[in-house]
């Protein structure tokens, strides 16, 4: 197939290639569409893709449990059909934060223009994927020389009053980083800091690219933000959907214009799934492009006259795999590492031998990563729990601090600045580490009837520990022994249901927490991965107040066996902790319920309505001085850290210990 669209241009070659790929996949694409129409399916895909998608939605908390329960309660099918219906349910009704997330994602998108003697001529769109890294197309930016004449404008859009805002302009810095690929049509280039010295990502945020599969399946909506034909920023949402997945590319239908080259393609969770790079025109039998009126197109008609039938984007997972094969210089490695661990490009830290950690383990260093996202200037350290993957660590830090400041306000104590807080972040690495150890949670068929089995780890030893934890928690919740063997459901499911009924928390949430704690305790590689991630972001010496939650309390206990003597812990706070279960504390690196010697004061706070803290109080099992406080958290928020920190007594104890 040949075209006559701007012969010889890079853009034309990409469009030609996209058009060929679209023609070659006509059969499978039409078969998918026919099946969806015949069977009334919102989405479909291969079973592996469907399982990965459902797994990711469940782990991120983006798939409402009510949607799963509703499908199964209505007598839905099992296996792939169940997955298709569950994922379809997830896109029907969006939470109100869909808009807030979209606004945050849109802020990272910039218009790329050529500075021609003071006039700005639009070239395309780009978006931030790191604090100082911009991604766009190769056909928009093909070489370092042209990069020096380009300007990127953030905030080139209309404001709430429908008036054009004043954009913030940045120049590119190709000498610091310039990576491009003709086949995948992407360019990654460094952005020079602004006049105030701040990097673009520190002002507008950036998209955390995710190498893992499961971000979108055929039939799901995709959303695009860009500058079509150089206009002010526009967004295309809801009526666009993925129609075909190729090895390197995605095809999707929407009203995106060719000028949107270099735009991010988002899923409904505002994760980047592809880099938009080309429209696909309708062609006649002779391979000529066709206008909207059905006549052959010619270059003089302009792109707006083309009958665009679809669009093509480059899969972000393929781009990340390409970047992972590079062997760049140390400065470029550092920039790539700032994209975040979910991108799979994080550079292993060089640990200081002087700290004397045990052989085969990582050693504690000073601040690493992004100071604006992870580190702090004070002596307060938060260690988070499970299910934080894909989140912005800065947002987590603000949420924890907001809960603490609520308690401090009620206590009449001075507030804490979020910028003073250290937040070691291990969520993405933990997810990557446990992915291979789990069964797809919704493949079990009758999910609502057997949540305990559906969410169980696939590793036999991890599964055994998971089952032991549920059984011990049920026993501590005073479940009658004779009720374990009664009824039609499995004993494990009855134990989980008893915990849910006792605490009024959802069975899915309880099972997922115990599953993740079991994975951490059972697998040495997962434990090492988590501890290495936490160790990367700690003060090197001096006193620290350690505030921990859920799985983070278990991580902290192991961490305390590895800290150098230069770090002191005048106060350890454990909240919503499973450390009262002997299936947990016997598997700690300390070998049992032994109070850490480095801790001056230990305060454990728990809620009777929190099933994760069902083994509390701890004083019956743990040796040494230990202060414990039971609090009355709201039932629907019994396990949330913000709820724990909002209690005045807890907040005051933390504030009074800070230097």
């Amino acid at each position: 197939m040949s075209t006559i669209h701007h012969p010889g241009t890079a853009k034309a070659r990409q469009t030609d290639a996209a058009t060929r790929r679209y023609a070659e996949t006509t059969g499978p694409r039409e078969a998918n569409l026919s099946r969806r129409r015949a069977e009334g399916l919102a989405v479909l895909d291969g079973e592996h893709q469907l399982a990965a998608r459902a797994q990711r939605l469940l782990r991120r908390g983006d798939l409402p449990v009510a949607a799963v329960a509703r499908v199964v309660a209505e007598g839905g099918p099992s296996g792939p059909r169940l997955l298709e219906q569950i994922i379809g349910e997830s896109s029907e009704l969006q939470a109100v934060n869909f808009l807030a997330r979209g606004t945050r994602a849109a802020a990272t998108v910039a218009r790329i223009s050529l500075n021609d003697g003071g006039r700005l001529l639009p070239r395309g769109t780009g978006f931030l994927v790191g604090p100082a890294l911009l991604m766009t197309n190769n056909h928009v930016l093909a070489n370092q020389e042209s990069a020096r004449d380009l300007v990127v404008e953030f905030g080139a859009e209309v404001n709430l009053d429908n008036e054009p805002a004043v954009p913030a302009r940045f120049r590119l810095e190709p000498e610091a980083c310039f990576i491009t690929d003709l086949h995948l049509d992407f360019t990654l280039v460094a952005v020079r800091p602004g006049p105030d010295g701040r990097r673009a990502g520190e002002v507008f945020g950036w998209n955390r690219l995710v190498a893992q599969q499961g971000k979108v399946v055929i039939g799901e909506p995709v959303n695009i933000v860009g500058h079509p034909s150089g206009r002010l920023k526009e967004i295309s949402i809801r009526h666009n959907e993925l129609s075909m997945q190729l090895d390197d590319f995605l095809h999707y239908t929407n009203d995106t214009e060719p000028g949107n080259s270099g735009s991010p393609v988002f899923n409904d969770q505002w994760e980047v799934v592809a880099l938009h790079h080309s429209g696909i025109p309708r062609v006649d039998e002779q391979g000529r492009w066709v206008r909207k009126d059905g006549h052959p197109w010619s270059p003089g008609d302009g792109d707006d006259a083309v009958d665009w039938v679809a669009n093509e984007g480059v899969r972000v997972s393929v781009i990340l795999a390409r970047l992972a094969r590079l062997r760049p210089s140390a400065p470029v490695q550092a920039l790539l590492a700032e994209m975040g661990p979910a991108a799979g490009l994080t550079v292993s830290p060089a640990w200081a031998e002087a700290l004397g950690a045990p052989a085969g383990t990582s050693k504690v260093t000073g601040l690493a990563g992004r100071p604006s996202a992870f580190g702090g200037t004070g002596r307060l350290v938060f260690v988070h729990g499970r299910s934080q993957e894909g989140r912005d660590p800065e947002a987590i830090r603000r949420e924890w601090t907001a809960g603490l400041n609520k308690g401090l306000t009620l206590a009449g104590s001075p507030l804490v600045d979020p910028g003073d807080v250290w937040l070691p972040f291990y969520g993405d690495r933990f997810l990557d580490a446990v992915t291979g150890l789990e069964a797809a949670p919704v493949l079990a068929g009758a999910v609502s009837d057997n949540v305990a089995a559906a969410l169980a780890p696939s590793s036999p030893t991890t599964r055994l520990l998971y089952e032991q934890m549920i059984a011990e928690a049920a026993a501590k919740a005073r479940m009658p022994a004779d009720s374990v063997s009664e009824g039609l459901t499995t004993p494990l499911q009855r134990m989980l249901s008893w915990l849910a009924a006792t605490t009024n928390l959802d069975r899915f949430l309880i099972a997922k927490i115990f599953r993740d704690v079991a994975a951490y305790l059972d697998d040495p590689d997962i434990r090492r991965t988590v501890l290495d991630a936490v160790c990367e972001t700690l003060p090197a010496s001096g006193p620290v107040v350690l505030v921990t939650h859920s799985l983070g309390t278990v991580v902290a206990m192991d961490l305390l066996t590895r800290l150098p003597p230069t770090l002191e812990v005048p106060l350890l706070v454990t909240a919503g902790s499973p450390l009262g279960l002997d299936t947990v504390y016997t598997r700690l690196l300390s070998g049992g319920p032994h109070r850490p010697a480095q801790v001056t004061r230990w305060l454990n706070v728990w809620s009777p309505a929190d099933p994760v803290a069902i083994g509390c109080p701890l004083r019956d099992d743990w040796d040494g001085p230990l202060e414990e406080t039971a609090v009355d958290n709201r039932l629907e928020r019994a396990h949330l850290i913000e709820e724990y920190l909002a209690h005045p007594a807890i907040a005051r104890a933390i504030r009074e210990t800070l230097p």
Side-chain angles (χ1 to χ4, degrees):
M1 181 183 301
S2 62
T3 74
I4 56 173
H5 174 60
H6 306 309
T9 66
K11 181 178 180 180
R13 289 191 292 272
Q14 294 293 347
T15 304
D16 287 348
T19 305
R20 284 194 298 271
R21 285 187 287 265
Y22 188 78
E24 291 166 357
T25 55
T26 298
R29 182 173 56 256
E30 291 182 348
N32 287 339
L33 183 59
S34 297
R35 183 188 161 199
R36 289 176 59 196
R37 288 173 175 171
E39 301 181 25
L41 296 175
V43 302
L44 59 77
D45 219 310
E47 184 170 356
H48 175 74
Q49 286 284 352
L50 291 168
R53 181 64 176 142
Q55 172 83 310
R56 183 161 182 80
L57 287 168
L58 276 172
R59 290 196 59 85
R60 284 175 46 89
D62 292 310
L63 181 61
V65 172
V68 181
R70 182 167 57 253
V71 171
V72 178
E74 292 173 354
S78 61
R81 286 297 305 275
L82 176 61
L83 294 172
E84 290 161 357
Q85 291 198 18
I86 288 173
I87 297 169
E89 284 279 327
S90 74
S91 63
E92 287 298 314
L93 184 63
Q94 292 297 324
V96 70
N97 67 2
F98 174 83
L99 299 175
R101 287 179 173 183
T103 300
R104 181 174 63 187
T108 70
V109 179
R111 180 169 60 190
I112 300 177
S113 301
L114 174 65
N115 186 358
D116 183 19
R119 290 189 311 143
L120 294 183
L121 307 178
R123 292 283 297 271
T125 302
F127 57 101
L128 291 168
V129 297
L133 287 177
L134 185 86
M135 182 171 288
T136 187
N137 293 138
N138 168 272
H139 78 256
V140 171
L141 176 54
N143 55 67
Q144 296 190 43
E145 173 125 10
S146 59
R148 297 184 178 92
D149 296 323
L150 296 182
V151 173
V152 291
E153 297 177 284
F154 295 92
E157 57 196 62
V158 293
N159 59 25
L160 293 176
D161 297 319
N162 216 32
E163 299 172 344
V166 178
R169 294 176 178 172
F170 287 73
R171 302 302 293 262
L172 299 177
E173 194 174 14
E175 341 37 79
C177 178
F178 189 89
I179 302 170
T180 193
D181 187 287
L182 180 62
H183 169 65
L184 297 179
D185 196 19
F186 80 86
T187 292
L188 194 63
V189 61
V191 181
R192 192 181 305 278
D196 59 357
R198 299 176 68 192
R199 299 191 292 177
E202 295 171 356
V203 181
F204 303 102
W206 68 92
N207 299 283
R208 273 68 176 176
L209 300 188
V210 178
Q212 185 183 18
Q213 298 292 316
K215 296 183 288 295
V216 69
V217 295
I218 293 171
E220 280 196 281
V222 293
N223 310 303
I224 299 180
V225 182
H227 293 272
S229 302
R231 297 195 299 268
L232 296 180
K233 190 181 299 175
E234 297 178 8
I235 183 169
S236 175
I237 63 173
R238 311 314 301 142
H239 295 294
N240 325 309
E241 66 178 33
L242 184 69
S243 61
M244 197 69 193
Q245 296 204 52
L246 285 67
D247 289 341
D248 295 343
F249 302 92
L250 299 179
H251 289 161
Y252 40 93
T253 58
N254 56 29
D255 55 6
T256 303
E257 298 182 25
N260 254 326
S261 291
S263 296
V265 182
F266 296 101
N267 61 15
D268 269 356
Q269 290 69 51
W270 296 99
E271 298 173 307
V272 180
V273 299
L275 166 67
H276 177 75
H277 85 128
S278 180
I280 299 173
R282 187 182 305 279
V283 295
D284 61 18
E285 294 178 353
Q286 299 175 359
R288 297 175 301 180
W289 293 17
V290 177
R291 298 189 318 205
K292 294 175 183 176
D293 61 8
H295 295 291
W297 177 90
S298 63
D301 294 331
D303 287 341
D304 290 345
V306 177
D307 186 8
W308 301 102
V309 296
N311 289 280
E312 184 178 81
V314 190
R315 298 177 67 155
V316 70
S317 56
V318 176
I319 294 175
L320 291 172
R322 173 73 178 88
L323 293 173
R325 294 194 297 269
L326 298 178
R327 293 295 181 267
S329 64
V332 174
Q333 281 186 336
L335 288 173
L336 294 177
E338 287 186 318
M339 292 171 66
L345 306 174
T346 305
V347 180
S348 300
W351 303 103
E353 295 294 337
L355 293 176
T361 64
S362 297
K363 305 170 180 65
V364 181
T365 64
L367 174 63
R370 299 185 292 270
S372 62
F374 296 111
T377 58
R379 313 305 301 179
L380 179 58
V381 177
F382 291 156
V383 181
H384 67 78
R386 59 165 299 280
S387 195
Q388 301 302 310
E389 61 276 358
R391 298 197 60 200
D392 182 355
E394 180 63 35
I396 301 172
R397 178 165 69 171
R398 288 195 300 268
E399 291 170 2
W400 282 49
T401 307
L404 176 60
N405 282 338
K406 179 179 179 180
L408 291 174
T409 300
L410 295 174
S413 301
L415 304 185
V416 170
D417 185 339
D420 290 338
V421 176
W422 298 72
L423 185 90
F425 182 69
Y426 63 85
D428 292 333
R429 293 192 217 179
F430 179 72
L431 173 63
D432 291 341
V434 301
T435 297
L437 300 179
E438 299 171 351
V442 291
L443 285 174
V447 175
S448 63
D449 292 331
N450 203 351
V451 174
L455 293 180
S458 58
S459 165
T461 57
T462 307
R463 182 184 182 115
L464 177 60
L465 178 56
Y466 160 82
E467 294 175 349
Q468 290 173 340
M469 290 173 61
I470 292 178
E472 183 183 356
K476 286 183 177 290
R478 297 183 174 85
M479 180 178 183
D482 55 357
S483 67
V484 174
S485 58
E486 295 176 353
L488 299 177
T489 58
T490 66
L492 188 67
Q493 179 64 20
R494 285 193 289 279
M495 295 174 188
L496 182 61
S497 297
W498 177 270
L499 286 172
T502 302
T503 60
N504 202 40
L505 279 193
D506 188 84
R507 291 173 297 169
F508 271 82
L509 175 62
I510 300 171
K512 286 193 289 186
I513 293 173
F514 282 142
R515 177 191 62 190
D516 288 350
V517 174
Y520 171 85
L521 290 171
D522 185 61
D523 191 285
D525 291 334
I526 293 177
R527 192 191 304 242
R528 187 180 306 111
T529 295
V530 171
L531 291 176
D532 285 354
V534 174
C535 286
E536 288 177 18
T537 309
L538 287 174
S541 61
V544 294
V545 174
L546 206 56
V547 179
T548 66
H549 175 239
S550 191
L551 172 61
T553 66
V554 181
V555 173
M557 283 297 167
D558 284 347
L559 177 69
L560 287 166
T561 68
R562 296 175 53 176
L563 291 181
T566 52
L567 265 180
E568 308 161 11
V569 184
L571 175 65
L572 167 66
V573 177
T574 50
S577 175
L579 289 170
L581 301 176
D582 61 8
T583 47
V584 173
Y585 61 65
T586 56
R587 288 167 173 81
L588 295 173
L589 292 181
S590 62
H594 310 304
R595 187 181 186 280
Q598 287 173 284
V599 174
T600 304
R601 180 187 178 192
W602 179 8
L603 173 60
N604 180 58
V605 53
W606 61 287
S607 170
D610 184 351
V612 183
I614 204 75
C616 294
L618 304 180
R619 65 175 65 94
D620 295 337
D621 298 304
W622 285 76
D623 54 17
L626 169 62
E627 301 174 42
E628 295 201 82
T629 300
V631 295
D632 186 20
N633 288 347
R634 286 175 286 177
L635 287 179
E636 70 278 9
R637 296 170 57 87
H639 187 60
L640 293 185
I641 183 60
E642 298 95 317
E643 196 78 8
Y644 278 111
L645 294 177
H647 289 279
I650 309 305
R652 186 186 301 112
I654 295 171
R655 192 67 184 85
E656 290 176 349
T657 312
L658 291 174

